[in-house]
């Protein structure tokens, strides 16, 4: 009965009408970067998995659990050019009150040359975004609920901006822990102070994720349905435009078909769980592959993979995600159970 109610709520959320594309919409888009290697290896969006990884709770607060108590995770992503992304999160349980988390996400864009209108170099400046986050999660039977409150600060040269964002998620976990699903309302919020006189919307997104671990095989299958609040999420490059044969020579866009647009909302993948101390992950992101390739070649764009292992008291994670032919992002993470470092 609980599962039926959960699915019914999800179907209602899927009916929310929205028609606009998502490319380039919203402020503070760094909030959507997959800053955790496990998340990047799984296609770039949070996946509902019930285990002790505090990075899962960072993005899906309803999955914060006692198994994450006193766990600390530190993540680093070598993105592109001079862009470096980092994340740290810590989770702690307080009895029956629930599990709380605290963390920070930052994106540093490096140095830029400052020039005048004539192109003369005047100096250098930096740009960076920061998000400080507090989270809470608890369980009511098989159901989980939780929320994250984010304090966002952005600085682009002399321009600064402040805002708040809220994540809210609901989850369901089976008795055995082999099945988990979660609905995530991501980046609900407001920009309190703007850069130059015009406020912008935050990149709100509705996601629904599923994972299923096979009982007698070291295999976990997962799927993520993302941008459910927006049907048409296709970006069309100039190469995908076609010329009209009419005399006015107006260009017309080739709209993607129903199936193509549908699968742009889907991320599919698997996690090979050989043991709690060794895992390998693979995923495919159709939207990334369709929008980040060109006609000359596609390579491994849209595919990602990663590995997680525990060596002594250190849990190490690595991922590689291909965003463009010949261009990939590397990520690393170290997770510690601080209880294991206490003196016996």
């Amino acid at each position: 009965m609980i599962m039926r109610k959960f699915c019914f709520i999800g179907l209602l959320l899927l009916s929310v009408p929205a028609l606009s594309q998502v490319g380039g919409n919203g402020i503070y888009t760094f909030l959507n970067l997959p800053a955790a290697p496990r998340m990047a290896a799984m296609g770039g969006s949070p996946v509902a998995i019930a285990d002790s990884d505090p990075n899962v709770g960072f993005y899906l607060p309803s999955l914060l659990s006692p198994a994450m108590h006193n766990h600390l995770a530190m993540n680093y992503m070598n993105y592109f050019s001079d862009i470096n992304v980092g994340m740290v999160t810590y989770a702690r349980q307080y009895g029956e009150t629930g599990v709380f988390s605290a963390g920070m996400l930052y994106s540093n864009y490096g140095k830029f040359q400052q020039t005048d209108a004539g192109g003369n170099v005047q100096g250098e400046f930096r740009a960076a975004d920061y998000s400080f986050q507090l989270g809470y999660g608890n369980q009511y039977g098989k159901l989980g609920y939780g929320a994250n409150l984010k304090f966002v600060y952005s600085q682009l040269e002399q321009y600064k901006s402040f805002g708040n964002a809220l994540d809210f998620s609901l989850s369901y976990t089976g008795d055995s822990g082999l099945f988990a699903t979660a609905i995530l309302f991501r980046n609900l919020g407001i920009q309190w102070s703007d850069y130059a006189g015009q406020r912008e919307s935050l990149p709100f997104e509705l996601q629904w994720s599923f994972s299923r671990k096979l009982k007698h095989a070291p295999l976990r299958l997962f799927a993520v349905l993302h941008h459910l609040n927006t049907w048409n999420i296709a970006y069309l490059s100039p190469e995908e435009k076609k010329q009209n044969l009419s005399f006015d020579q107006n260009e017309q866009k080739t709209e993607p078909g129903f199936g193509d647009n549908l699968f742009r909302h889907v991320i599919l993948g698997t996690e090979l769980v050989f043991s709690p101390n060794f895992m390998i992950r693979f995923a495919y992101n159709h939207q990334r592959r369709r929008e980040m390739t060109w006609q000359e070649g596609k390579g491994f764009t849209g595919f990602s993979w990663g590995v997680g292992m525990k060596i002594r008291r250190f849990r190490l994670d690595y991922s590689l995600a291909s965003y463009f032919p010949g261009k990939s992002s590397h990520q690393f993470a170290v997770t510690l159970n601080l209880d294991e470092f206490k003196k016996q």
Side-chain angles (χ1 to χ4, degrees):
M1 182 62 69
I2 294 177
M3 187 58 188
R4 291 180 180 177
K5 291 181 180 179
F6 189 89
C7 292
F8 178 70
I9 293 173
L11 292 173
L12 289 177
L13 295 173
L14 288 175
S15 66
V16 176
L19 299 175
S20 61
Q21 298 176 356
V22 298
N25 292 337
I27 196 70
Y28 309 143
T29 54
F30 80 102
L31 295 173
N32 289 335
L33 289 175
R38 191 178 190 184
M39 177 179 168
M42 291 182 160
S45 291
V47 178
I49 296 176
D51 63 11
S52 62
D53 187 354
N55 289 312
V56 174
F58 183 89
Y59 290 99
L60 287 166
S62 60
L63 287 171
L64 284 168
S65 69
M68 302 176 188
H69 173 71
N70 214 21
H71 280 59
L72 173 68
M74 296 168 285
N75 305 269
Y76 169 73
M77 174 167 62
N78 179 14
Y79 206 33
F80 298 105
S81 186
D82 294 331
I83 302 176
N84 293 286
V85 180
M87 187 187 89
V88 59
T89 183
Y90 173 76
R92 189 172 185 86
Q93 180 189 14
Y94 287 92
E96 297 182 357
T97 304
V99 181
F100 293 82
S101 68
M104 183 187 72
L105 170 69
Y106 78 89
S107 182
N108 190 317
Y109 305 104
K111 294 182 179 179
F112 298 84
Q113 283 191 342
Q114 183 175 352
T115 62
D116 59 19
N120 301 306
V121 177
Q122 303 293 311
E124 293 182 339
F125 68 92
R126 292 180 175 272
D129 293 320
Y130 302 87
S131 174
F132 303 91
Q133 178 174 306
L134 296 175
Y136 169 77
N138 207 346
Q139 278 77 43
Y140 181 76
K142 299 178 183 180
L143 290 177
Y145 56 91
N148 290 325
L149 176 61
K150 305 174 185 178
F151 303 87
V152 184
Y153 170 71
S154 178
Q155 181 175 0
L156 308 175
E157 204 254 342
Q158 63 177 329
Y159 303 98
K160 300 179 177 64
S161 176
F162 300 89
N164 283 117
L166 178 70
D167 297 337
F168 177 74
S169 68
L170 296 170
S171 59
Y172 172 89
T173 305
D175 289 331
S176 62
L178 300 178
F179 174 78
T181 182
I183 293 177
L184 172 63
F185 300 81
R186 195 176 186 189
N187 298 326
L188 289 159
I190 188 171
Q191 181 187 27
W192 296 109
S193 62
D194 53 70
Y195 295 106
Q198 182 177 357
R199 291 186 178 180
E200 303 176 69
S201 300
L202 272 68
F204 169 71
E205 181 183 356
L206 175 61
Q207 298 181 355
W208 195 353
S209 60
F210 308 81
S211 72
R212 173 70 184 186
K213 170 71 169 59
L214 302 186
K215 187 174 182 179
H216 300 291
L219 185 66
R220 177 183 284 119
L221 304 175
F222 65 85
V224 180
L225 308 178
H226 59 93
H227 292 99
L228 295 179
N229 53 304
T230 304
W231 166 244
N232 182 11
I233 62 173
Y235 165 77
L236 298 174
S237 67
E239 293 183 355
E240 294 179 289
K241 295 180 181 179
K242 66 180 181 180
Q243 195 76 14
N244 190 0
L245 297 179
S246 61
F247 292 104
D248 58 12
Q249 296 295 306
N250 291 329
E251 289 185 342
Q252 294 181 344
K253 293 183 178 179
T254 304
E255 296 295 336
F258 175 85
D260 183 17
N261 193 66
L262 174 65
F263 281 102
R264 292 184 192 225
H265 289 268
V266 181
I267 298 172
L268 298 173
T270 182
E271 186 174 51
L272 302 175
V273 186
F274 297 104
S275 78
N277 299 327
F278 184 65
M279 306 177 188
I280 299 178
R281 301 135 187 162
F282 301 93
Y284 172 69
N285 185 322
H286 184 67
Q287 181 191 20
R288 187 181 297 168
R289 185 168 182 83
R290 291 289 291 132
E291 298 182 0
M292 299 299 291
T293 55
W294 50 15
Q295 293 180 352
E296 286 75 11
K298 297 182 181 294
F300 291 99
T301 303
F303 291 91
S304 56
W305 72 275
V307 60
M309 65 181 69
K310 186 174 181 180
I311 301 176
R312 295 182 182 274
R313 299 172 181 174
F314 299 89
R315 180 184 178 90
L316 307 176
D317 286 277
Y318 166 79
S319 71
L320 185 147
S322 180
Y323 287 85
F324 192 76
K327 297 293 182 181
S328 301
S329 173
H330 301 268
Q331 293 183 235
F332 307 88
V334 178
T335 303
L336 309 174
N337 180 356
L338 299 183
D339 286 338
E340 295 181 354
F341 289 83
K342 294 181 179 179
K343 293 182 179 181
Q344 300 297 328

